[in-house]
Amino acid sequence: MANLSSSFLGIKSPNPFWLASAPPTDKKLNVLGAFEAGWGGVVWKTLGSQVKNVSSRYSAVNYGNKRIMGFNNIELISDRPLDVNLREIRECIREFPDRAMVVSLMADNDRESWHNLIDQTEQTGAHGIELNFGCPHGMTERGMGASVGQDPEIARMVVEWVMEKATIPVITKLTPNVHSVVPAARAVVEAGTNGLSLINTIQSITGVDLETFDVRPNVGGQSAYGGYCGPAVKPIALKMLHSLSKNPVFKNIPISGIGGISTWQDAAEFLLLGASNLQVCTAAMKHGFRIIDDFNSGLSNWMDEKGLKKIDDVVGLSVKKVTDWEKLDLNFHIVANIDQDKCIHCGLCYIACEDASHQSIQIEKGMPYNTYTIKEPECVGCNLCKLVCPVDNCITMVEQRVAPEYLNWPEFQRRGMKLNDH
Amino acid sequence: MAIKNKRLSAEELQKNFSDVHPPFDTLDGALVEANRCLFCYDAPCTKLCPTSIDVPMFIKQIATENIKGSAATIFDSNILGAGCSRVCPVEKLCEGACVYNLMHEQPIQIARLQRYATEQAIQKKWKLFERAKNGKLVGKQVAIVGAGPAGLACAHALAREGVSVTIYEKESKGGGLMTYGVAAYKVTPQFCADEVKYILSIGGITIKYNMALGCDITLLQLQQEYEAVFCAFGVGVARALNIPGENLKGVVDAISFIYGLRTKNFEKIAVGENVIVIGLGMTAIDAATQSKRLGAKNVTIVYRRTESEKPCTQEELDLARLDGCNIVYLAAPKEIIGTSKVRKMIFEKMELGEPDAKGRRAPIGTGQTFTLPTDMVIKAAGQMPFEELINGMALTNDQGKVKINADGSTNLKGVFAGGDIVNGGREVVDAVQAGKVGAAGIIAYLESIS
């Protein structure tokens, strides 16, 4: 059995799965339930200045039969009294001393407020602090949340205040509502943050009710930009994670990965692209805390099959597999192959190839089943047919190198080679 | 042993004759199924539908909750799409061709989805088609004989072009086989009435009921009064067994038996205690299962060949078995015994010989016989065309089956034909397609003469 135990910035937890700062971590009852279910840790929902929430607060994007492919909220930071939160944090730590207790903070924009909040938090015995520089709604109008994360200089200043005071590890949570997360990340690293986490939610409108024309989520006929999360944002999160993990500036900065982690496979992908800890929210909100069992066993079984003994063995293994486009090998070429024994004759590969410009699939009409075969000389190896095919491994891509040597775009140009000659 | 009615209580009858294939109760149920559909290109299901309904498209439209669009897609190809969703042998048509079968997965429930969309269209009276208001066919007069699926489909297609259609129907209700000839647990009289009404709602179609060709009107009259005629009066006479005792009391034909079931209260239908059904087509199954559902103790279906030659579908056969009907293969009717009424029936054991013209292996008598006790014999050994009537009208035919050209035209100028009258009796969906072909032929003809 692979060892799933995690030590992130020295904060120990029996597995790398923490519940992200959100409704499931905003009070003792939930957090104890999560710990009982087996979660490795929690990031307690953001403490800070007093707020009041609206209803409704959530909306979702459904696709086909899948509900909540994307999820959106206009909820604010914790709306419970600070002293109650602090007391409950202390009680949770006492009941589950082996679990990670990190507290998310968002103070008013001055040094004293931050110092006070950190002081009060540390007195609970919490193991770490996460700075909420990402909340994209409500708090931004007051110059907090994403408006801090979007301005590297303000972010740097706040982290400097924090590091003056904090004696426990500090994680800075970044907003994806920027063209690149790198400048803000660099600023907070330079200011001394111990670790990073990303991504927070993405500003969004999930949809419009076609019955009433109201925009979701509907608050008495009006709406506001919400924070987008859930499975739909995973690709964006992975890209942002990679943009940090490939960068030598962040070489020694541990990253907690967040953004649509819904299965153990998602978790493994975040680890492979450089996260050494994982935070989950939407999946738990959708299915409850019980999914942790599958996360743990799935990840552990996969690690066993791959001969990976501990979490650190997985971290970053795929980082180098992403490069700049121009460094890709132009002599690498694949063509599609259809396994006629597996083909169910649905024609999806044919029409996709036909309408998406390559016309590389031959159709031979039959009654009622047509036969589809690849016209190899025409196939550009784009993968579309394989992607749309509903049968696993029916369409495979077969390597047919153009030439044995590696050839990239700058070299291609240098040699003056002619275009469209794969 | 006797033939009698009220073998079961009204409640039991109600239960026995309720829907065999219940519809989706909720949108969610339909959505789950619709979302399974792969949206095949050049879809096998569409290819095996005689009316070529764009099945993937109508299912996609259900998946996006565009139910009105879905119903329009179905009705555009098959105006009896609602009825067909209940009576089509889908396991050998669309659903049988579904690519999921090749993945060894359950095929998409195409019929049930089709029913979901079309039922709403009928219930909510969606107006999905309009008559052409101008064009050279507006005001043209066409007569149709028979308000069954072929006649109705032809009438609707003509009405869309602005043609004025008069249908002559010998029964008092439209729908033909749908209304009078299929098992009552598939469609209700109310459903059939609603369906006919919905088809007629396009306007420009008049049905003259209780008007039988050869009695109340003649083809010659119609030829004189209308610019074109479409003959779609189907088949109707049950094939005789031509054995001794066929005229005994207690011997009925399946068509009249089902006709009775469809036109009268179930409590009024008399059924024997030991019923023998001759034949293994869809009608034989309908007669057997309904006898059982009316309270017959033993129902035995006797068929001349083996199960592999059966004309009914596997699903229908399973239905009969689930209803507790016995099936005896390789036995041909030889004699029905009784004094005033049926007592027993003698069969000859058969064996399979060489394949016949259709490639089916023909049964050959062995000379050995056996006897089954019975008080009711239902003949379902096929139907005969109205041969005399057709000969009388000088329509070129083959033993009563009218010969037509590819465009549905007959040997008589301006007279078209289609459906069971041509093919000798096939599925409702085949009749609908024949109606469409006939309409297209008539439209081309009317354009050519005007």
Side-chain angles (χ1 to χ4, degrees):
Chain A
M1 275 283 279
N3 179 3
L4 293 188
S5 69
S6 163
S7 175
F8 184 77
L9 300 172
I11 304 168
K12 293 194 170 24
S13 55
N15 61 59
F17 297 105
W18 295 359
L19 283 167
S21 164
T25 64
D26 88 332
K27 61 170 166 309
K28 181 181 172 185
L29 184 75
N30 298 74
V31 169
L32 290 184
F35 286 163
E36 275 159 23
W39 289 81
V42 297
V43 180
W44 196 278
K45 185 171 160 80
T46 308
L47 312 183
S49 49
Q50 214 53 54
V51 296
K52 180 83 183 84
N53 272 305
V54 294
S55 67
S56 61
R57 301 171 201 178
Y58 307 146
S59 64
V61 174
N62 300 337
Y63 186 77
N65 269 22
K66 294 274 183 248
R67 304 222 174 211
I68 315 191
M69 289 291 290
F71 188 65
N72 152 309
N73 80 86
I74 51 169
E75 199 164 291
L76 303 178
I77 62 172
S78 177
D79 53 10
R80 306 170 76 227
L82 182 63
D83 57 334
V84 175
N85 273 314
L86 293 168
R87 189 186 73 232
E88 291 188 356
I89 288 169
R90 190 180 294 118
E91 289 165 0
C92 288
I93 294 167
R94 198 182 306 135
E95 286 198 43
F96 282 90
D98 66 326
R99 309 302 167 91
M101 173 62 75
V102 175
V103 181
S104 174
L105 301 180
M106 184 196 286
D108 288 336
N109 252 350
D110 62 82
R111 173 191 255 128
E112 199 188 340
S113 300
W114 276 102
H115 284 191
N116 278 339
L117 196 55
I118 290 165
D119 188 37
Q120 287 173 294
T121 302
E122 289 197 350
Q123 284 177 32
T124 63
H127 308 119
I129 288 166
E130 185 181 77
L131 310 180
N132 181 343
F133 285 6
C135 186
H137 41 72
M139 311 311 286
T140 48
E141 291 87 333
R142 302 194 224 164
M144 293 185 278
S147 63
V148 177
Q150 283 164 343
D151 186 329
E153 287 319 304
I154 297 175
R156 180 196 305 273
M157 179 180 74
V158 174
V159 172
E160 280 170 355
W161 294 338
V162 169
M163 300 317 292
E164 287 167 4
K165 181 73 183 174
T167 63
I168 55 177
V170 173
I171 304 162
T172 304
K173 184 170 178 179
L174 301 171
T175 174
N177 296 303
V178 287
H179 76 279
S180 164
V181 287
V182 176
R186 186 194 299 266
V188 298
V189 164
E190 284 166 2
T193 188
N194 304 109
L196 294 167
S197 60
L198 82 170
I199 58 174
N200 204 304
T201 55
I202 306 170
Q203 275 203 325
S204 63
I205 291 177
T206 50
V208 181
D209 186 325
L210 296 184
E211 205 54 43
T212 61
F213 309 162
D214 288 331
V215 177
R216 293 192 284 257
N218 178 2
V219 184
Q222 290 196 296
S223 193
Y225 302 159
Y228 199 46
C229 56
V233 312
K234 188 187 88 172
I236 297 161
L238 286 178
K239 181 264 169 185
M240 291 185 163
L241 166 65
H242 183 268
S243 71
L244 298 186
S245 49
K246 72 164 184 185
N247 191 327
V249 169
F250 307 102
K251 201 171 139 212
N252 298 314
I253 306 296
I255 304 169
S256 180
I258 315 169
I261 297 174
S262 311
T263 63
W264 64 265
Q265 287 101 327
D266 296 333
E269 291 172 40
F270 274 82
L271 294 173
L272 288 169
L273 285 174
S276 50
N277 171 271
L278 307 159
Q279 293 187 39
V280 177
C281 175
T282 310
M285 289 182 75
K286 190 178 168 190
H287 304 292
F289 297 139
R290 58 192 167 147
I291 52 170
I292 186 63
D293 283 340
D294 182 51
F295 283 9
N296 281 331
S297 76
L299 185 62
S300 165
N301 289 335
W302 171 77
M303 286 172 65
D304 286 347
E305 280 166 26
K306 293 291 172 190
L308 300 161
K309 294 190 167 50
K310 55 187 194 300
I311 295 296
D312 281 349
D313 294 346
V314 186
V315 176
L317 289 181
S318 296
V319 172
K320 282 207 161 61
K321 300 221 173 200
V322 184
T323 183
D324 296 333
W325 188 93
E326 64 171 22
K327 290 182 189 150
L328 299 175
D329 184 2
L330 294 170
N331 277 343
F332 177 78
H333 181 61
I334 50 174
V335 291
N337 180 65
I338 300 172
D339 183 336
Q340 295 299 333
D341 291 336
K342 288 188 175 149
C343 178
I344 58 168
H345 317 284
C346 65
L348 297 184
C349 59
Y350 170 80
I351 197 60
C353 188
E354 200 65 12
D355 288 357
S357 99
H358 299 300
Q359 297 85 39
S360 316
I361 300 181
Q362 180 81 36
I363 178 169
E364 191 189 316
K365 292 270 183 174
M367 188 64 198
Y369 302 115
N370 300 336
T371 304
Y372 301 97
T373 43
I374 301 293
K375 294 189 245 174
E376 288 197 7
E378 312 293 324
C379 178
V380 301
C382 75
N383 238 8
L384 181 61
C385 56
K386 179 181 157 73
L387 295 175
V388 300
C389 178
V391 183
D392 212 20
N393 288 322
C394 174
I395 297 184
T396 47
M397 305 305 292
V398 183
E399 188 172 334
Q400 284 187 3
R401 286 193 70 87
V402 178
E405 83 276 14
Y406 164 83
L407 173 71
N408 64 26
W409 174 243
E411 181 62 15
F412 185 98
Q413 281 183 304
R414 197 185 63 76
R415 292 191 204 167
M417 295 171 78
K418 78 176 176 22
L419 294 167
N420 289 331
D421 181 26
H422 68 253
Chain B
M1 291 208 301
I3 301 183
K4 60 172 194 172
N5 62 7
K6 290 191 186 170
R7 286 183 180 274
L8 302 175
S9 70
E11 291 74 36
E12 284 170 314
L13 288 171
Q14 200 56 49
K15 187 167 157 266
N16 286 353
F17 284 91
S18 63
D19 232 319
V20 267
H21 296 125
F24 287 111
D25 281 337
T26 61
L27 174 64
D28 285 337
L31 288 183
V32 168
E33 190 61 14
N35 276 297
R36 286 180 66 223
C37 177
L38 298 171
F39 197 55
C40 290
Y41 169 76
D42 197 23
C45 49
T46 295
K47 286 187 186 173
L48 279 204
C49 173
T51 62
S52 306
I53 294 175
D54 189 341
V55 176
M57 182 56 74
F58 94 70
I59 294 179
K60 171 67 76 186
Q61 288 168 316
I62 291 175
T64 65
E65 300 180 41
N66 177 10
I67 312 298
K68 207 175 264 185
S70 177
T73 301
I74 297 162
F75 287 138
D76 190 47
S77 291
N78 181 347
I79 195 63
L80 275 92
C84 284
S85 73
R86 293 149 181 257
V87 305
C88 259
V90 288
E91 59 279 10
K92 69 175 186 189
L93 298 173
C94 53
E95 292 183 18
C98 177
V99 299
Y100 273 119
N101 292 300
L102 304 178
M103 284 170 90
H104 306 288
E105 291 295 328
Q106 287 297 310
I108 301 293
Q109 297 177 49
I110 299 170
R112 220 169 152 210
L113 288 166
Q114 182 167 317
R115 177 168 171 178
Y116 181 78
T118 54
E119 206 158 63
Q120 292 189 55
I122 292 179
Q123 280 168 3
K124 296 173 186 168
K125 301 185 171 69
W126 287 335
K127 195 157 175 55
L128 302 173
F129 302 97
E130 290 207 21
R131 296 192 70 195
K133 289 192 181 66
N134 37 46
K136 53 184 179 176
L137 298 187
V138 173
K140 295 274 181 198
Q141 301 280 335
V142 170
I144 293 176
V145 187
L152 288 170
C154 181
H156 192 265
L158 291 172
R160 281 174 75 174
E161 298 298 322
V163 175
S164 297
V165 181
T166 308
I167 307 181
Y168 292 86
E169 168 57 51
K170 75 169 158 60
E171 300 292 344
S172 59
K173 289 178 195 166
L177 182 83
M178 284 291 295
T179 302
Y180 294 105
V182 297
Y185 49 69
K186 292 178 183 165
V187 281
T188 61
Q190 186 59 50
F191 168 80
C192 293
D194 290 346
E195 182 174 47
V196 172
K197 197 172 163 195
Y198 184 71
I199 296 168
L200 299 186
S201 68
I202 189 170
I205 306 171
T206 311
I207 305 187
K208 297 197 169 179
Y209 292 108
N210 306 308
M211 295 283 278
L213 188 70
C215 306
D216 309 299
I217 29 135
T218 66
L219 181 60
L220 199 61
Q221 281 176 310
L222 296 178
Q223 282 177 283
Q224 287 163 351
E225 283 177 39
Y226 297 89
E227 280 148 293
V229 182
F230 184 64
C231 291
F233 50 86
V235 288
V237 188
R239 190 184 299 278
L241 300 175
N242 292 320
I243 55 168
E246 196 167 351
N247 297 322
L248 284 169
K249 199 173 160 215
V251 182
V252 297
D253 74 78
I255 299 297
S256 358
F257 176 65
I258 295 170
Y259 182 92
L261 262 160
R262 297 302 308 275
T263 48
K264 285 184 255 175
N265 198 317
F266 298 129
E267 285 179 78
K268 292 191 175 141
I269 308 299
V271 70
E273 193 171 315
N274 287 313
V275 176
I276 289 177
V277 177
I278 308 296
L280 195 57
M282 302 295 236
T283 305
I285 301 284
D286 282 359
T289 52
Q290 294 188 109
S291 298
K292 196 79 189 175
R293 286 162 193 245
L294 283 171
K297 267 211 184 104
N298 300 301
V299 173
T300 306
I301 300 173
V302 183
Y303 181 50
R304 293 194 300 161
R305 308 177 203 232
T306 70
E307 186 176 331
S308 22
E309 288 83 34
K310 67 179 186 300
C312 71
T313 64
Q314 188 61 44
E315 179 161 304
E316 288 282 311
L317 184 63
D318 292 345
L319 194 62
R321 285 191 176 130
L322 286 170
D323 277 359
C325 302
N326 311 310
I327 300 157
V328 175
Y329 293 106
L330 288 169
K334 199 165 168 62
E335 190 176 351
I336 303 171
I337 310 283
T339 43
S340 62
K341 56 182 185 185
V342 179
R343 263 193 323 110
K344 57 185 180 180
M345 189 164 174
I346 303 171
F347 292 92
E348 180 177 7
K349 288 189 184 170
M350 309 297 275
E351 58 187 25
L352 287 186
E354 292 306 305
D356 64 11
K358 287 180 188 162
R360 287 203 301 174
R361 294 179 67 191
I364 301 170
T366 62
Q368 287 174 285
T369 60
F370 65 94
T371 304
L372 292 176
T374 180
D375 48 11
M376 185 177 188
V377 176
I378 303 178
K379 298 184 286 182
Q383 283 164 260
M384 304 283 286
F386 298 104
E387 198 172 347
E388 243 175 77
L389 183 61
I390 286 161
N391 278 327
M393 294 186 294
L395 282 167
T396 307
N397 68 87
D398 167 21
Q399 292 179 308
K401 286 195 267 185
V402 176
K403 291 198 162 179
I404 56 167
N405 303 307
D407 65 349
S409 59
T410 66
N411 58 309
L412 304 178
K413 186 169 157 49
V415 178
F416 294 73
D420 287 358
I421 190 178
V422 168
N423 62 38
R426 288 175 71 179
E427 308 300 341
V428 171
V429 66
D430 295 301
V432 173
Q433 183 59 20
K436 281 165 62 188
V437 170
I442 290 170
I443 288 163
Y445 170 75
L446 292 177
E447 281 172 346
S448 74
I449 59 166
S450 61

